[in-house]
């Protein structure tokens, strides 16, 4: 009983913080959600033998698994990725194999294979506890197949900022596929850690001057290993995002999230502009208190959206 009351007390506190962050002033909304960066792994894709140059998806997935282990130790223990850097490396190599992401065979990880591999691996390793979700456009041109069909939990649309924001409020592990047209390989996978946006004109559309950012652990520059005291230091990188309006009737929606890499030291992608092609979420079956926080948070956002529509009609 005491534990239950404590969970509901924490939920109420979270709700208060949510409403303060969503409506800090009369004419603008600030959306701010984050995961604890210190819970993530810091595996570098360049440390994976032979395939390091194109193994961002297996590497980003392992760094997300470490987060799940640390965030939900009673559920995952250390089963997903282990506790040492060499364990993480071996897990990434396993994910890159034919049974999962097929990265080594294809010389890249297709978006469908990143999702298929993560679902297959996590369910095989820790069954009956995982919940998945996501929004995906197969920008790399490789469609779902009979062996790797589109999962029922995947929406085939351009990922939205609302999806990212609410996933972070729910503390999910988040894998983001950024697609860079004209580059080979064109897809780079990172592990999402936070989302921030000040909707200055309160129109619900992310515009470039509003400075919205997503933070992430980048497999190309994930941080440093333990210092002499044993402290780990994952590195949070960031990129600006804004919404690009698409022509009416575009398959996947009328807008997409453009991405501008702003973190130096990450190779040729540091100055390339792309867009978010896929977001994929992993989390354990949520507790009732988490469901309550999320449901009321969604309700608050929905009511604010209705108020915004009414205001535009009145004008």
């Amino acid at each position: 009983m005491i534990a239950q009351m404590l969970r509901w007390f924490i939920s109420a506190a979270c709700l208060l913080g949510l409403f303060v962050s969503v409506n800090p002033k009369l004419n603008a909304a600030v959306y701010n959600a984050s995961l604890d960066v210190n819970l993530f792994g810091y595996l570098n894709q360049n440390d994976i033998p032979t395939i390091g140059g194109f193994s961002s998806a297996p590497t980003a997935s392992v760094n997300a698994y470490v987060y799940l282990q640390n965030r939900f130790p009673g559920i995952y223990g250390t089963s997903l990725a282990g506790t040492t850097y060499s364990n993480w490396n071996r897990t990434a190599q396993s994910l890159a194999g034919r049974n999962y992401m097929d990265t080594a065979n294809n010389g890249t990880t297709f978006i469908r294979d990143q999702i298929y591999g993560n679902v297959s691996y996590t369910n095989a390793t820790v069954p009956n506890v995982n919940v998945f979700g996501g929004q995906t456009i197969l920008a790399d041109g490789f469609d779902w197949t009979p062996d790797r069909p589109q999962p029922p939990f995947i929406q085939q649309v351009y990922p939205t900022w609302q999806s990212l924001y609410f996933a972070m409020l729910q503390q999910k592990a988040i894998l983001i596929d950024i697609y860079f047209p004209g580059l080979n390989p064109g897809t780079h996978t990172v592990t999402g850690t936070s989302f921030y946006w000040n909707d200055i004109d309160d129109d619900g559309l992310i515009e470039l001057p509003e400075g919205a950012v997503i933070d992430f652990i980048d497999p190309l520059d994930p941080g440093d290993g333990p210092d002499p005291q044993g402290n780990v230091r994952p590195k949070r990188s960031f990129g600006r995002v804004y919404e690009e309006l698409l022509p009416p009737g575009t398959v996947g929606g009328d807008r997409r999230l453009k991405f501008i890499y702003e973190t130096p030291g990450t190779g040729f992608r540091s100055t390339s502009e792309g867009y978010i092609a896929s977001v994929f979420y992993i989390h354990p079956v949520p507790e009732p208190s988490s469901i309550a926080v999320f449901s009321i948070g969604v309700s608050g956002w929905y009511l604010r959206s209705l108020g915004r529509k009414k205001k535009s009609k009145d004008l």
Side-chain angles (χ1 to χ4, degrees):
M1 178 65 72
I2 295 176
Q4 184 178 13
M5 291 177 63
L6 180 60
R7 283 199 298 268
W8 281 106
F9 176 78
I10 294 173
S11 299
C14 291
L15 283 174
L16 179 61
L18 174 63
F19 286 122
V20 169
S21 67
V22 168
N23 191 15
K25 54 184 179 180
L26 182 62
N27 294 318
V30 175
Y31 299 90
N32 187 14
S34 65
L35 310 179
D36 185 350
V37 69
N38 296 303
L39 300 181
F40 288 84
Y42 49 88
L43 181 62
N44 191 315
Q45 69 181 78
N46 294 310
D47 289 339
I48 300 177
T50 309
I51 64 170
F54 51 85
S55 62
S56 66
T59 307
S61 299
V62 168
N63 290 333
Y65 295 167
V66 176
Y67 164 78
L68 289 170
Q69 291 180 167
N70 289 328
R71 180 67 177 78
F72 308 101
I75 296 174
Y76 291 107
T78 60
S79 300
L80 289 176
T83 58
T84 68
Y85 198 85
S86 60
N87 289 155
W88 301 350
N89 199 319
R90 285 194 294 270
T91 302
Q93 292 178 62
S94 179
L95 283 172
R98 187 179 298 273
N99 290 337
Y100 298 119
M101 297 186 184
D102 212 12
T103 304
N105 183 57
N106 292 323
T108 187
T109 306
F110 302 131
I111 294 173
R112 64 157 193 226
D113 293 334
Q114 179 265 111
I115 296 170
Y116 175 88
N118 270 305
V119 172
S120 300
Y121 178 83
T122 53
N123 279 341
T125 306
V126 187
N128 304 319
V129 301
N130 303 295
V131 181
F132 308 102
Q135 298 177 320
T136 297
I137 287 292
L138 299 179
D140 50 26
F142 287 83
D143 209 343
W144 308 101
T145 67
D147 291 334
R148 301 189 172 199
Q150 179 181 341
F153 53 78
I154 289 291
Q155 297 176 287
Q156 198 158 338
V157 297
Y158 284 104
T160 64
W161 69 262
Q162 293 94 335
S163 176
L164 274 170
Y165 175 64
F166 287 124
M168 288 179 184
L169 286 180
Q170 289 181 287
Q171 301 292 288
K172 297 179 181 180
I174 302 171
L175 291 165
I176 301 173
D177 285 310
I178 307 165
Y179 185 70
F180 297 89
L183 297 183
N184 186 24
T187 305
H188 186 60
T189 308
V190 300
T191 311
T193 55
S194 77
F195 173 87
Y196 175 85
W197 170 41
N198 182 2
D199 186 7
I200 297 172
D201 55 8
D202 196 30
D203 66 350
L205 176 68
I206 302 180
E207 293 147 343
L208 183 58
E210 292 176 326
V213 296
I214 58 170
D215 295 355
F216 47 89
I217 305 294
D218 192 332
L220 287 171
D221 188 23
D224 302 321
D227 62 17
Q229 287 73 44
N231 301 309
V232 298
R233 306 195 186 285
K235 179 179 179 180
R236 176 175 274 160
S237 302
F238 73 97
R240 281 191 294 166
V241 292
Y242 65 96
E243 289 182 278
E244 176 186 37
L245 298 179
L246 301 173
T250 300
V251 176
D254 60 358
R255 63 185 68 181
R256 65 183 178 187
L257 285 173
K258 295 284 283 185
F259 174 90
I260 304 174
Y261 230 130
E262 292 207 334
T263 305
T266 52
F268 60 87
R269 289 190 175 89
S270 62
T271 57
S272 297
E273 184 178 357
Y275 62 88
I276 295 177
S278 175
V279 292
F280 174 68
Y281 311 123
I282 311 171
H283 65 111
V285 177
E287 293 182 343
S289 58
S290 299
I291 296 175
V293 171
F294 175 68
S295 299
I296 299 177
V298 171
S299 299
W301 170 78
Y302 179 69
L303 291 173
R304 184 175 182 85
S305 298
L306 291 179
R308 183 187 296 120
K309 291 179 181 178
K310 183 179 184 303
K311 182 172 66 176
S312 64
K313 288 181 179 179
D314 292 341
L315 295 175

